[in-house]
Amino acid sequence: DYKGQKLAEQIFQGIILVSAIIGFIYGYLIEQFCWTVYIFMAGFALSCLLTLPPWPMYRCNPLKWLPVQESGTEDKKAADRKPKKHTKN
């Protein structure tokens, strides 16, 4: 559903933003850029774990689909149709 997609997107962006800020601050304080990247990658992995699988919290508002409508014109079988004859000019 659309509300679940919006929630997943907000969670994903929030975790990415927080991990980037924390990683930058920690990496700046210890003067190691690799720790900035490690913390950012950990945040990315956590956000993927929380948002990519179809968790039940994202499926609270299912979409209501229209019922299937039968139509007589589409139910013709191939055997009932006359084959088209192609003429060469």
Side-chain angles (χ1 to χ4, degrees):
D1 61 15
Y2 296 115
K3 290 182 182 179
Q5 289 177 357
K6 183 178 178 182
L7 176 63
E9 181 71 22
Q10 289 173 342
I11 291 171
F12 182 79
Q13 289 180 355
I15 292 173
I16 292 293
L17 180 64
V18 169
S19 67
I21 291 170
I22 292 171
F24 178 77
I25 292 170
Y26 184 72
Y28 182 78
L29 290 176
I30 65 168
E31 298 177 0
Q32 290 288 321
F33 182 72
C34 64
W35 278 100
T36 300
V37 174
Y38 293 153
I39 293 172
F40 181 74
M41 288 172 51
F44 179 77
L46 177 65
S47 66
C48 287
L49 180 68
L50 291 176
T51 59
L52 289 180
W55 298 109
M57 66 182 175
Y58 302 128
R59 295 183 280 153
C60 294
N61 303 304
L63 298 175
K64 292 178 177 67
W65 295 91
L66 294 175
V68 176
Q69 296 179 354
E70 299 291 329
S71 66
T73 59
E74 295 177 0
D75 293 339
K76 288 184 179 180
K77 296 180 182 177
D80 294 341
R81 296 181 190 150
K82 292 181 181 178
K84 293 182 180 179
K85 295 182 181 178
H86 297 286
T87 59
K88 293 183 181 179
N89 291 335

